[in-house]
Amino acid sequence: MTFKAAAIQMCSGVDPEKNAVEMEKLIREAAANGAVYVQTPEMTGAIQKDRAALRAVLKDEDTDIIATTAARLAKELGIYVHVGSTAIARDDGKIDNRGFLFAPDGQRICAYDKIHMFDVDLDNGESWRESAAYEPGTNARVATLPLASFGFAICYDVRFPSL
């Protein structure tokens, strides 16, 4: 089967509401150009190194503006919308780096939490410790659609062939 897919490029900032507006504009543009499967990047909702500031703007999955906007657009436009990932608040104070796939009826087909945390010390002295804020996922996911089967991975996950 042949289908048109679109990979959206965004420059997400610290405000999930502004990022949702930009995501919507780009999804609409992709759908207008014939895309039936649209993918957004990792951390579509917010890029924020300050963990306290990030936690302050996070919502749970049911009220997250990126997830709810993606579901609404999938239904309205009759397309598949794959949110590469967005940060989701957990009850235990940690964060999930979660990807979503929504069907043309707006229903969530699949959710995937990033399994492999990016913990690294760079030569320039910069240090990243995703594991300090994010809870790693435990399950690989594959969604079988009429278009194709899609395996899920988020960023650093692609370095692990077991997925």
Side-chain angles (χ1 to χ4, degrees), residues 47-51 118-130:
I47 299 288
Q48 173 62 269
K49 191 168 182 177
D50 180 322
R51 291 186 179 119
F118 186 68
D119 290 352
V120 65
D121 295 313
L122 301 175
D123 290 341
N124 67 0
E126 198 173 337
S127 181
W128 292 88
R129 291 284 175 269
E130 280 187 334

mmCIF file of all heavy atoms in Angstrom, residues 47-51 118-130:
data_model
loop_
_atom_site.group_PDB
_atom_site.id
_atom_site.type_symbol
_atom_site.label_atom_id
_atom_site.label_comp_id
_atom_site.label_asym_id
_atom_site.label_seq_id
_atom_site.Cartn_x
_atom_site.Cartn_y
_atom_site.Cartn_z
ATOM 1 N N ILE A 47 10.377 21.851 25.609
ATOM 2 C CA ILE A 47 11.808 21.610 25.800
ATOM 3 C C ILE A 47 12.211 22.515 26.955
ATOM 4 O O ILE A 47 12.144 23.739 26.855
ATOM 5 C CB ILE A 47 12.627 21.968 24.544
ATOM 6 C CG1 ILE A 47 12.209 21.118 23.361
ATOM 7 C CG2 ILE A 47 14.114 21.855 24.826
ATOM 8 C CD1 ILE A 47 12.631 19.673 23.426
ATOM 9 N N GLN A 48 12.594 21.892 28.053
ATOM 10 C CA GLN A 48 12.918 22.672 29.246
ATOM 11 C C GLN A 48 13.960 21.904 30.052
ATOM 12 O O GLN A 48 13.694 20.818 30.536
ATOM 13 C CB GLN A 48 11.633 22.870 30.060
ATOM 14 C CG GLN A 48 11.793 23.517 31.403
ATOM 15 C CD GLN A 48 12.334 24.917 31.359
ATOM 16 O OE1 GLN A 48 13.541 25.101 31.432
ATOM 17 N NE2 GLN A 48 11.463 25.894 31.222
ATOM 18 N N LYS A 49 15.135 22.468 30.169
ATOM 19 C CA LYS A 49 16.197 21.805 30.934
ATOM 20 C C LYS A 49 15.967 21.933 32.441
ATOM 21 O O LYS A 49 16.330 21.055 33.207
ATOM 22 C CB LYS A 49 17.572 22.364 30.551
ATOM 23 C CG LYS A 49 18.701 21.522 31.112
ATOM 24 C CD LYS A 49 20.035 21.865 30.528
ATOM 25 C CE LYS A 49 21.102 20.938 31.095
ATOM 26 N NZ LYS A 49 22.399 21.146 30.534
ATOM 27 N N ASP A 50 15.340 23.012 32.871
ATOM 28 C CA ASP A 50 15.035 23.227 34.287
ATOM 29 C C ASP A 50 13.893 22.288 34.673
ATOM 30 O O ASP A 50 12.746 22.493 34.302
ATOM 31 C CB ASP A 50 14.643 24.686 34.506
ATOM 32 C CG ASP A 50 14.311 25.011 35.955
ATOM 33 O OD1 ASP A 50 13.696 24.168 36.648
ATOM 34 O OD2 ASP A 50 14.653 26.121 36.392
ATOM 35 N N ARG A 51 14.221 21.260 35.425
ATOM 36 C CA ARG A 51 13.239 20.208 35.727
ATOM 37 C C ARG A 51 12.067 20.720 36.563
ATOM 38 O O ARG A 51 10.925 20.298 36.373
ATOM 39 C CB ARG A 51 13.927 19.029 36.394
ATOM 40 C CG ARG A 51 14.835 18.312 35.412
ATOM 41 C CD ARG A 51 15.429 17.052 35.999
ATOM 42 N NE ARG A 51 16.259 16.418 34.986
ATOM 43 C CZ ARG A 51 17.551 16.208 35.118
ATOM 44 N NH1 ARG A 51 18.175 16.566 36.216
ATOM 45 N NH2 ARG A 51 18.228 15.626 34.150
ATOM 46 N N PHE A 118 18.823 8.842 28.329
ATOM 47 C CA PHE A 118 20.065 9.427 27.830
ATOM 48 C C PHE A 118 20.802 10.045 29.014
ATOM 49 O O PHE A 118 20.481 11.145 29.462
ATOM 50 C CB PHE A 118 19.750 10.474 26.761
ATOM 51 C CG PHE A 118 20.962 11.040 26.088
ATOM 52 C CD1 PHE A 118 21.755 10.261 25.264
ATOM 53 C CD2 PHE A 118 21.312 12.368 26.274
ATOM 54 C CE1 PHE A 118 22.863 10.782 24.632
ATOM 55 C CE2 PHE A 118 22.427 12.904 25.642
ATOM 56 C CZ PHE A 118 23.204 12.106 24.824
ATOM 57 N N ASP A 119 21.768 9.326 29.546
ATOM 58 C CA ASP A 119 22.620 9.793 30.638
ATOM 59 C C ASP A 119 24.038 9.892 30.098
ATOM 60 O O ASP A 119 24.627 8.865 29.731
ATOM 61 C CB ASP A 119 22.579 8.821 31.820
ATOM 62 C CG ASP A 119 21.245 8.826 32.545
ATOM 63 O OD1 ASP A 119 20.387 9.676 32.243
ATOM 64 O OD2 ASP A 119 21.062 7.974 33.426
ATOM 65 N N VAL A 120 24.574 11.106 30.012
ATOM 66 C CA VAL A 120 25.886 11.283 29.380
ATOM 67 C C VAL A 120 26.605 12.492 29.965
ATOM 68 O O VAL A 120 25.977 13.460 30.380
ATOM 69 C CB VAL A 120 25.728 11.438 27.845
ATOM 70 C CG1 VAL A 120 24.989 12.708 27.493
ATOM 71 C CG2 VAL A 120 27.053 11.380 27.131
ATOM 72 N N ASP A 121 27.925 12.387 30.006
ATOM 73 C CA ASP A 121 28.792 13.512 30.336
ATOM 74 C C ASP A 121 29.580 13.848 29.074
ATOM 75 O O ASP A 121 30.312 13.007 28.560
ATOM 76 C CB ASP A 121 29.763 13.137 31.466
ATOM 77 C CG ASP A 121 29.035 12.862 32.760
ATOM 78 O OD1 ASP A 121 28.167 13.676 33.131
ATOM 79 O OD2 ASP A 121 29.325 11.828 33.397
ATOM 80 N N LEU A 122 29.428 15.076 28.592
ATOM 81 C CA LEU A 122 30.098 15.501 27.368
ATOM 82 C C LEU A 122 31.478 16.082 27.667
ATOM 83 O O LEU A 122 31.742 16.550 28.779
ATOM 84 C CB LEU A 122 29.233 16.530 26.637
ATOM 85 C CG LEU A 122 27.832 16.053 26.247
ATOM 86 C CD1 LEU A 122 27.041 17.191 25.633
ATOM 87 C CD2 LEU A 122 27.906 14.877 25.297
ATOM 88 N N ASP A 123 32.338 16.067 26.666
ATOM 89 C CA ASP A 123 33.698 16.585 26.818
ATOM 90 C C ASP A 123 33.728 18.061 27.230
ATOM 91 O O ASP A 123 34.671 18.507 27.866
ATOM 92 C CB ASP A 123 34.481 16.413 25.510
ATOM 93 C CG ASP A 123 34.801 14.959 25.217
ATOM 94 O OD1 ASP A 123 34.746 14.131 26.161
ATOM 95 O OD2 ASP A 123 35.098 14.641 24.050
ATOM 96 N N ASN A 124 32.678 18.818 26.858
ATOM 97 C CA ASN A 124 32.652 20.246 27.191
ATOM 98 C C ASN A 124 32.165 20.511 28.617
ATOM 99 O O ASN A 124 31.948 21.656 29.003
ATOM 100 C CB ASN A 124 31.780 21.010 26.186
ATOM 101 C CG ASN A 124 30.309 20.640 26.286
ATOM 102 O OD1 ASN A 124 29.904 19.817 27.105
ATOM 103 N ND2 ASN A 124 29.495 21.235 25.427
ATOM 104 N N GLY A 125 31.957 19.444 29.395
ATOM 105 C CA GLY A 125 31.526 19.587 30.776
ATOM 106 C C GLY A 125 30.020 19.511 30.966
ATOM 107 O O GLY A 125 29.527 19.447 32.098
ATOM 108 N N GLU A 126 29.286 19.541 29.877
ATOM 109 C CA GLU A 126 27.838 19.446 29.947
ATOM 110 C C GLU A 126 27.441 18.028 30.359
ATOM 111 O O GLU A 126 28.041 17.053 29.929
ATOM 112 C CB GLU A 126 27.255 19.777 28.566
ATOM 113 C CG GLU A 126 25.816 20.125 28.571
ATOM 114 C CD GLU A 126 25.341 20.602 27.193
ATOM 115 O OE1 GLU A 126 26.167 21.058 26.375
ATOM 116 O OE2 GLU A 126 24.139 20.502 26.966
ATOM 117 N N SER A 127 26.414 17.930 31.194
ATOM 118 C CA SER A 127 25.959 16.630 31.678
ATOM 119 C C SER A 127 24.448 16.530 31.506
ATOM 120 O O SER A 127 23.727 17.475 31.820
ATOM 121 C CB SER A 127 26.322 16.468 33.153
ATOM 122 O OG SER A 127 25.907 15.219 33.628
ATOM 123 N N TRP A 128 23.987 15.416 30.996
ATOM 124 C CA TRP A 128 22.560 15.140 30.830
ATOM 125 C C TRP A 128 22.227 13.872 31.595
ATOM 126 O O TRP A 128 22.890 12.850 31.423
ATOM 127 C CB TRP A 128 22.207 14.971 29.349
ATOM 128 C CG TRP A 128 22.334 16.240 28.577
ATOM 129 C CD1 TRP A 128 23.450 16.716 27.953
ATOM 130 C CD2 TRP A 128 21.320 17.211 28.371
ATOM 131 N NE1 TRP A 128 23.193 17.925 27.362
ATOM 132 C CE2 TRP A 128 21.880 18.245 27.605
ATOM 133 C CE3 TRP A 128 19.985 17.305 28.756
ATOM 134 C CZ2 TRP A 128 21.154 19.362 27.217
ATOM 135 C CZ3 TRP A 128 19.262 18.418 28.362
ATOM 136 C CH2 TRP A 128 19.846 19.432 27.600
ATOM 137 N N ARG A 129 21.199 13.930 32.427
ATOM 138 C CA ARG A 129 20.764 12.776 33.218
ATOM 139 C C ARG A 129 19.244 12.659 33.113
ATOM 140 O O ARG A 129 18.510 13.069 34.006
ATOM 141 C CB ARG A 129 21.169 12.923 34.684
ATOM 142 C CG ARG A 129 22.649 12.831 34.954
ATOM 143 C CD ARG A 129 23.120 11.375 34.891
ATOM 144 N NE ARG A 129 24.546 11.253 35.040
ATOM 145 C CZ ARG A 129 25.409 11.260 34.031
ATOM 146 N NH1 ARG A 129 24.988 11.391 32.794
ATOM 147 N NH2 ARG A 129 26.698 11.111 34.239
ATOM 148 N N GLU A 130 18.779 12.100 32.014
ATOM 149 C CA GLU A 130 17.335 11.917 31.870
ATOM 150 C C GLU A 130 16.762 11.080 33.016
ATOM 151 O O GLU A 130 15.655 11.332 33.471
ATOM 152 C CB GLU A 130 16.997 11.243 30.533
ATOM 153 C CG GLU A 130 17.002 12.174 29.367
ATOM 154 C CD GLU A 130 16.512 11.537 28.090
ATOM 155 O OE1 GLU A 130 16.616 10.307 27.933
ATOM 156 O OE2 GLU A 130 16.030 12.290 27.224
#
